[in-house]
Every structure is written in structure tokens, then in C-alpha cells.
Amino acid sequence: MKCPNCSSKDIGKIGSHQFYCWGCFIELTVNGEKMSVYQVEEDGTLSSLDDLFFGDELPQDFPHLHASS
């Protein structure tokens, strides 16, 4: 799996459907067929980056993300 932002393969699993990129420090959440991307702010809150990356579609590089790991 590669990060949609920086293409790093240094992705960690932080929850049942949540991943974190150690290359660019974004959080990825997978819910069924939909992936959401968030920037982690200094105070720990998340800001959505979905409109910058995907629109309404799951990228082709990530069809396996909704499968159990």
C-alpha cells in the first residue's frame, strides 16, 4: 500500500479501519468502499483533505484497503 499524498510505503495501522502515513503525517480512514484522508493538526484535531485527493471515488491503488488485514 502506498500513501495517496507522498507515495510512501511507511503506512501504519492505528485502528480497525484507520491508517497513518509516517512519510507525510496524514491519517487515512476506510469505510466500506470510501477512503477519507485527514491532516492531523497541532492540537490533534483532523482536517479533511478528501476534496484535494479523491472526490467521490476510491483510488485504484487502494481497492484492498477495505479488506481485513
Side-chain angles (χ1 to χ4, degrees), residues 5-67:
N5 184 47
C6 70
S7 298
S8 171
K9 291 185 177 183
D10 195 10
I11 304 290
K13 189 170 185 175
I14 58 174
S16 62
H17 301 284
Q18 296 174 306
F19 303 86
Y20 186 79
C21 178
W22 289 98
C24 63
F25 314 111
I26 63 171
E27 187 173 311
L28 311 165
T29 302
V30 179
N31 185 7
E33 295 291 322
K34 184 175 182 349
M35 175 190 285
S36 296
V37 179
Y38 300 94
Q39 177 178 329
V40 181
E41 302 294 344
E42 289 182 17
D43 64 358
T45 60
L46 301 176
S47 298
S48 177
L49 300 175
D50 288 354
D51 57 337
L52 298 175
F53 286 98
F54 313 127
D56 295 329
E57 296 183 16
L58 183 67
Q60 294 300 314
D61 291 346
F62 297 96
H64 60 283
L65 277 182
H66 56 274

